[in-house]
Amino acid sequence: MTVISDTQTRPQIERLRLEPVRRTLTVAKKFNVTPNMIRIVLSGDELSGFQSPGADDNIKMIVPDEIGKSVMRSYTPRAYNAEAQELVIDFAVHEAGPATRWALDVEPGDKAVIAGPRGSKRVMGKIDRWLMIADETALPALARRLEDGKSGEQFDCLITVPSESDQQDIESASDVRIDWLHRDETNAAPCDATPLLFALERMDIMPGTYVWIAAEGGVVRTLRNYLMGSRGVDKHWIKATGYWVNGKADTSAKFEE
Ligand SMILES: Cc1cc2nc3c(=O)[nH]c(=O)nc-3n(C[C@H](O)[C@H](O)[C@H](O)COP(=O)(O)OP(=O)(O)OC[C@H]3O[C@@H](n4cnc5c(N)ncnc54)[C@H](O)[C@@H]3O)c2cc1C
């Protein structure tokens, strides 16, 4: 068992509140980044004042459901260019709920309504290296964090995607190692923790490692319990979020930080 941390030096989460603003924008561009990831670029004057300081911030996409009622789903501001007034959102394609359906159906020129972010969280403290674990829904946040990474920062990443063709090139000034897990090679479902758990079991987790996990809620629970129970990682060194919950629409899962 590796004891990762001591409570005196444990990281703190700094919370920043932002004024939640609803904005009506226009779909400027739409294309596939990879076979199962649609990138939508939103533009419009109403982006003026938009802020997203943290890589794992989220906005709400406000989209119609099957009977035309507005519903909200969480998405990561993948990139924001204030000068060009462009906001980029990446949609992982799955058995479509309303947000995925919307992303599949919209065309450039269509309207898009967003709200938020309502806030942002930053992990502060002496962190020697990061272990980031994600599925494709959290790949936008993970990629953004790597792109924000500074020279000298170290990241080990475990990322599960549907297939090899869903891997992405991510630029970073940091020292980054990524282990891509292709679910089609093991026939694993996106809500199956086994491939990530096997990969984690093979990894050294050094003291001073901060663990960020975002994926399906049950997967996140399994990995978090394993890290705390079998690897001695203190819960204050883990930021874990279920970005979706298998079988439940519009559901995320929170774990104590
Ligand atoms: C903080 C945060 C940030 C997020 N950022 C992103 C992002 O940038 N890009 C992104 O693609 N997603 C992101 N997500 C996940 C996204 O909000 C969910 O996948 C959401 O459920 C999609 O909405 P939907 O309308 O398509 O499906 P819903 O109506 O919510 O769900 C319909 C059904 O689909 C299932 N389902 C939902 N997502 C998946 C999936 N990925 N694979 C298989 N089944 C699924 C549900 O369990 C449900 O049974 C984020 C979630 C959170 C909490």
Side-chain angles (χ1 to χ4, degrees):
M1 180 185 285
T2 326
V3 176
I4 300 305
S5 49
D6 88 52
T7 47
Q8 255 113 49
T9 58
R10 75 187 191 201
Q12 305 289 325
I13 303 221
E14 185 189 73
R15 289 172 168 77
L16 176 73
R17 271 184 204 286
L18 299 168
E19 192 58 43
V21 177
R22 192 182 163 110
R23 297 177 159 89
T24 301
L25 306 170
T26 304
V27 174
K29 292 173 216 158
K30 172 182 163 179
F31 54 94
N32 273 73
V33 185
T34 59
N36 293 293
M37 186 72 87
I38 299 172
R39 176 159 295 171
I40 292 186
V41 181
L42 303 176
S43 65
D45 293 346
E46 291 191 18
L47 275 173
S48 163
F50 181 86
Q51 284 184 67
S52 172
D56 59 0
D57 293 347
N58 72 90
I59 56 160
K60 298 292 181 193
M61 293 296 315
I62 302 173
V63 296
D65 68 6
E66 346 39 279
I67 56 163
K69 191 168 123 269
S70 289
V71 294
M72 296 199 272
R73 297 290 187 268
S74 299
Y75 282 82
T76 305
R78 173 67 182 81
Y80 175 56
N81 181 334
E83 214 173 300
Q85 290 199 318
E86 284 190 343
L87 173 64
V88 178
I89 317 284
D90 283 356
F91 293 78
V93 178
H94 64 97
E95 290 297 316
T100 311
R101 182 83 272 148
W102 178 86
L104 287 164
D105 291 347
V106 280
E107 297 296 342
D110 288 347
K111 294 279 167 244
V113 184
I114 68 161
R118 297 172 68 89
S120 187
K121 290 181 185 174
R122 189 152 64 116
V123 182
M124 310 279 292
K126 188 183 170 316
I127 291 164
D128 295 336
R129 60 189 67 72
W130 291 76
L131 170 56
M132 300 191 77
I133 306 171
D135 69 7
E136 59 272 29
T137 65
L139 180 51
L142 186 152
R144 196 177 143 184
R145 178 66 186 90
L146 295 185
E147 286 168 359
D148 290 349
K150 306 209 172 13
S151 164
E153 281 191 291
Q154 284 187 46
F155 294 89
D156 279 314
C157 306
L158 285 179
I159 307 173
T160 164
V161 286
S163 72
E164 189 174 359
S165 55
D166 293 300
Q167 287 188 198
Q168 296 185 18
D169 293 329
I170 305 168
E171 289 187 12
S172 178
S174 304
D175 175 9
V176 175
R177 274 185 302 172
I178 303 181
D179 189 359
W180 293 93
L181 308 178
H182 313 131
R183 293 195 300 270
D184 61 344
E185 289 164 14
T186 53
N187 273 331
C191 55
D192 182 355
T194 316
L196 287 166
L197 206 51
F198 277 170
L200 257 186
E201 280 168 355
R202 293 194 302 267
M203 287 181 84
D204 282 334
I205 306 175
M206 308 290 283
T209 302
Y210 191 88
V211 188
W212 182 93
I213 317 175
E216 192 280 326
V219 171
V220 173
R221 175 175 290 102
T222 301
L223 300 182
R224 181 174 180 270
N225 287 346
Y226 166 73
L227 288 165
M228 294 191 306
S230 302
R231 303 297 290 267
V233 183
D234 183 297
K235 69 180 179 192
H236 297 103
W237 287 75
I238 305 177
K239 186 167 190 258
T241 315
Y243 268 24
W244 58 284
V245 175
N246 190 40
K248 294 188 180 168
D250 187 23
T251 309
S252 59
K254 292 200 166 35
F255 298 88
E256 195 192 338
E257 282 156 2

